[in-house]
């Protein structure tokens, strides 16, 4: 079976879980992890969620979608996901500039580990106080960067599907597999 | 809709960084709260990412007032200029051409108007900001000088960084610093900033850089903060120590990462050596997704 793995990442509240829920053909698997390390000593239960969805489009072809843990610290789960991903989408809520710094940190974290195609999906563009897509891109990756940026409504299947097509086309151009 | 927010969550240095890198033209309004609920607006105009003027009012009379106060222009002449509705060049440039002002006058005016005033804004930890790209440039407030927004940010942080920056905002001593991979800018760094930038190689931590440079830790943290704030250096996020974990999925608990959840999510069988998918796979997938639109 040939499998492609995409990671959906972004700051808390950007719409990662909704994105996967909207497009997955199976009920989304959410895993809860209870830490028993030093973090757990401070906080009795530290729970993070990893969302997993998929769809199969030929007998032997499957697309897996993974949503990164919904917490700000980077842990082994992030590492596990990103090191094996083929590409990723960074979801950013346009109306929450306070989350842009976290989004930048995610990009830095990813860039330190992998060199795979990525795309910025800008959500909540119709909300009050939303920045334009161009300005969100400036805030996250600066200028002179060829990272594609697309508006995404994580609640709408067509919008999510369109963003996946855009990422795959970007992957096709970037990776040129034969 | 555009660049707007609060300084408490999106710093002035970050705002200036975006306006500089985006080569923005327009008006940045910053409103800060003073004592007794008094609010003070600051207006800063940009042309192609360069700061060209700053004022505390929008009446376009501040520069003329300063010229009168300094005795470089009499009141009647200033009044005539204030009535000109459309100048085709900055007032400072015009007065220089007419022999009223010399280049040193203009430098002094710009210094007081922009770097000094903007530097003061870095003292405020909160306030509202909003950028308007449709606002015309105020020729009557312009000296003809300009400075890159990033340079203004660096100057402001040098002057007020110690008091304005919270200790919690400083990079941690164990944080690794890395030169930003984005486009380089020709910002004038001071000696210590340049040395820290040179050592930000993605391997050394803030503490190690401080040791190499024989500088106190807090000094290097401040310098690092400045370089991060203007986008020259990145603080590489550190991965949290791996936890002994148990996982649950749909109520089933697993002892380790080889549990049921990971099995279902295809995580346990991942082959880390696999890197690409075939072109035919991608084309089939794209066609499949398009058929759903």
């Amino acid at each position: 079976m040939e499998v492609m793995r995409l990671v959906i990442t972004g700051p808390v509240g950007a719409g990662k879980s909704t994105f996967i829920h909207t497009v997955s053909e199976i009920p989304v698997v959410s895993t809860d992890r209870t830490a028993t390390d030093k973090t757990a000593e401070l906080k009795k239960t530290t729970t993070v969620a990893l969302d997993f969805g998929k769809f199969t489009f030929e007998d032997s072809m499957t697309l897996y979608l993974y949503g990164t843990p919904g917490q700000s610290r980077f842990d082994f789960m992030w590492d596990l996901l990103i090191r094996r991903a083929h590409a990723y989408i960074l979801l950013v809520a346009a109306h929450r500039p306070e989350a842009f710094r976290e989004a930048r940190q995610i990009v830095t974290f990813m860039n330190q580990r992998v060199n795979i195609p990525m795309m910025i999906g800008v959500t909540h563009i119709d909300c009050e106080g939303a920045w334009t897509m161009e300005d969100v891109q400036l805030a996250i990756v600066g200028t002179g960067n060829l990272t594609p940026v697309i508006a995404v409504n994580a609640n709408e299947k067509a919008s999510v599907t369109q963003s996946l097509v855009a990422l795959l086309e970007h992957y096709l151009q970037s990776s040129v597999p034969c | 809709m555009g660049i707007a927010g609060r300084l408490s969550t999106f710093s002035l240095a970050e705002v200036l960084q975006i306006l500089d890198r985006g080569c923005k033209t327009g008006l940045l309004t910053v409103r800060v709260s003073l004592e007794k609920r008094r609010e003070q607006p600051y207006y800063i105009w940009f042309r192609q990412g360069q700061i060209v003027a700053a004022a505390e009012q929008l009446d376009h009379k501040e520069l003329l007032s300063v010229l009168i106060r300094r005795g470089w222009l009499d009141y009647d002449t200033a009044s005539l200029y204030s009535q000109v509705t459309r100048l085709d060049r900055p007032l400072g440039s015009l007065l220089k051409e007419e022999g009223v002002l010399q280049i040193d006058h203009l430098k002094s005016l710009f210094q007081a108007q922009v770097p000094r005033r903007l530097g003061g804004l870095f003292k405020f930890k909160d306030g509202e900001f909003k950028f308007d790209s449709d606002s015309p440039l105020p020729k009557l407030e312009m000296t003809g000088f300009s400075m890159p927004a990033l340079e203004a940010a660096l100057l402001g942080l040098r002057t007020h960084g110690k008091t304005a920056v919270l200790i919690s905002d400083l990079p941690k001593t164990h944080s690794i610093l890395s030169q930003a991979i984005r486009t380089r800018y020709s910002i004038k760094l001071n000696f210590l900033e340049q040395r820290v930038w040179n050592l930000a190689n993605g391997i050394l931590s803030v503490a190690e850089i401080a040791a190499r440079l024989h500088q106190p830790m807090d000094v290097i943290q401040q310098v690092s903060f400045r370089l991060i704030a203007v986008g020259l250096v990145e603080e590489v996020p550190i991965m949290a120590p791996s936890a002994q974990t148990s996982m649950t999925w749909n109520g089933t608990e697993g002892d380790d990462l080889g549990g049921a959840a990971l099995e279902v999510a295809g995580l346990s069988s991942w082959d880390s050596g696999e890197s690409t998918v075939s072109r035919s796979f991608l084309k089939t997938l794209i066609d499949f997704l398009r058929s759903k639109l």
Side-chain angles (χ1 to χ4, degrees):
Chain A
M1 175 180 282
E2 194 165 6
V3 171
M4 185 176 198
R5 301 178 182 98
L6 301 181
V7 165
I8 316 300
T9 187
V12 175
K16 304 182 292 284
S17 298
T18 310
F19 184 102
I20 296 175
H21 277 267
T22 298
V23 79
S24 177
E25 69 177 14
I26 61 164
V28 171
V29 176
S30 291
T31 59
D32 293 331
R33 178 170 66 85
T34 307
T36 55
D37 63 354
K38 284 187 177 174
T39 310
E41 290 170 14
L42 298 171
K43 200 179 167 193
K44 283 186 177 174
T45 55
T46 301
T47 310
V48 294
L50 157 72
D51 293 316
F52 169 70
K54 72 168 185 174
F55 54 80
T56 303
F57 50 98
E58 289 285 324
D59 286 346
S60 59
M61 294 183 177
T62 307
L63 180 70
Y64 285 175
L65 298 170
Y66 299 93
T68 51
Q71 60 171 25
S72 57
R73 74 170 191 163
F74 301 99
D75 62 7
F76 73 97
M77 188 60 85
W78 283 79
D79 201 51
L80 185 72
L81 291 177
I82 196 62
R83 284 194 189 279
R84 288 150 176 92
H86 292 101
Y88 73 95
I89 297 178
L90 175 78
L91 291 182
V92 186
H95 69 313
R96 294 187 61 230
E98 63 271 24
F100 293 171
R101 203 176 292 170
E102 189 185 339
R104 277 201 303 272
Q105 281 216 315
I106 291 172
V107 175
T108 305
F109 180 83
M110 299 297 200
N111 287 342
Q112 286 288 321
R113 282 161 176 75
V114 290
N115 181 21
I116 56 175
M118 67 91 79
M119 189 179 80
I120 298 175
V122 184
T123 62
H124 300 85
I125 57 168
D126 295 329
C127 291
E128 192 182 339
W131 290 32
T132 65
M133 291 211 293
E134 180 201 0
D135 290 336
V136 172
Q137 183 183 29
L138 264 178
I140 308 298
V141 291
T143 53
N145 192 303
L146 299 177
T147 305
V149 184
I150 191 169
V152 181
N153 182 339
N155 289 297
E156 284 185 9
K157 194 165 189 172
S159 175
V160 171
T161 305
Q162 189 63 56
S163 68
L164 288 174
V165 170
L167 179 65
L168 293 168
E169 285 174 339
H170 179 50
Y171 181 90
L172 202 52
Q173 288 166 3
S174 310
S175 305
V176 201
C178 296
Chain B
M1 291 191 297
I3 297 168
R6 294 206 70 88
L7 296 178
S8 56
T9 52
F10 203 84
S11 72
L12 183 59
E14 288 173 299
V15 177
L16 295 176
Q17 188 188 141
I18 287 176
L19 299 179
D20 184 297
R21 293 195 161 162
C23 295
K24 299 284 186 182
T25 298
L27 168 64
L28 175 69
T29 303
V30 180
R31 293 179 192 280
V32 295
S33 296
L34 305 176
E35 68 280 4
K36 294 180 183 171
R37 293 187 179 179
R38 211 156 49 86
E39 199 179 58
Q40 172 67 55
Y42 290 88
Y43 304 102
I44 306 151
W45 286 271
F46 294 77
R47 185 177 54 205
Q48 298 285 304
Q50 302 255 331
I51 299 176
V52 293
E56 291 177 19
Q57 294 182 47
L58 282 177
D59 60 4
H60 298 189
K61 289 179 181 171
E62 278 194 27
L63 184 55
L64 285 167
S65 301
V66 175
L67 288 169
I68 295 168
R69 210 161 50 239
R70 294 192 181 189
W72 294 343
L73 207 62
D74 62 64
Y75 183 82
D76 292 340
T77 313
S79 293
L80 286 175
Y81 282 114
S82 71
Q83 287 160 24
V84 178
T85 50
R86 289 181 76 89
L87 280 180
D88 64 350
R89 72 203 82 176
L91 177 65
S93 305
L94 183 66
L95 293 174
K96 182 173 167 289
E97 281 169 28
E98 293 178 351
V100 179
L101 295 178
Q102 303 303 312
I103 194 86
D104 287 345
H105 293 133
L106 295 174
K107 274 186 189 170
S108 161
L109 287 167
F110 183 75
Q111 193 65 26
Q113 188 193 50
V114 175
R116 214 169 293 159
R117 181 173 279 156
L118 197 65
L121 266 180
F122 280 86
K123 287 185 295 192
F124 297 99
K125 294 183 176 69
D126 195 15
E128 286 179 1
F129 65 87
K130 186 174 185 182
F131 184 73
D132 176 10
S133 56
D134 294 326
S135 180
L137 293 177
K139 301 279 172 47
L140 277 170
E141 296 289 18
M142 292 162 63
T143 57
F145 278 85
S146 64
M147 76 185 303
L150 273 188
E151 204 168 306
L154 208 48
L155 281 174
L157 288 170
R158 275 182 203 145
T159 313
H160 297 285
K162 269 201 166 177
T163 50
V165 180
L166 299 172
I167 290 173
S168 59
D169 285 343
L170 293 174
K172 304 286 178 287
T173 56
H174 60 269
S175 283
I176 306 289
L177 298 184
S178 172
Q179 290 173 3
I181 53 173
R182 303 166 197 136
T183 318
R184 280 193 60 183
Y185 287 78
S186 52
I187 307 171
K188 290 175 201 156
L189 300 180
N190 67 26
F191 182 68
L192 196 52
E193 288 162 355
Q194 185 66 52
R195 295 190 76 190
V196 171
W197 192 81
N198 288 342
L199 290 173
N201 56 7
I203 297 168
L204 295 178
S205 67
V206 173
E208 288 165 327
I209 291 173
R212 289 248 185 135
L213 298 178
H214 307 292
Q215 292 287 331
M217 189 75 79
D218 63 324
V219 170
I220 296 303
Q221 281 179 296
Q222 285 284 347
V223 171
S224 304
F225 176 84
R226 289 204 293 271
L227 296 176
I228 292 166
V230 299
L232 287 179
V233 161
E234 289 171 335
E235 184 180 2
V236 180
I238 302 291
M239 210 164 78
S242 64
Q244 292 295 315
T245 63
S246 64
M247 297 190 67
T248 59
W249 171 62
N250 286 358
T252 309
E253 188 166 335
D255 292 334
D256 52 35
L257 288 178
L262 295 184
E263 192 69 44
V264 170
L267 287 163
S268 60
S269 60
W270 272 11
D271 174 6
S272 60
E274 189 181 342
S275 60
T276 58
V277 289
S278 69
R279 181 177 283 270
S280 63
F281 176 98
L282 284 167
K283 289 196 164 173
T284 309
L285 176 53
I286 290 170
D287 288 345
F288 171 78
L289 289 171
R290 282 203 176 121
S291 72
K292 301 285 179 190
L293 289 173

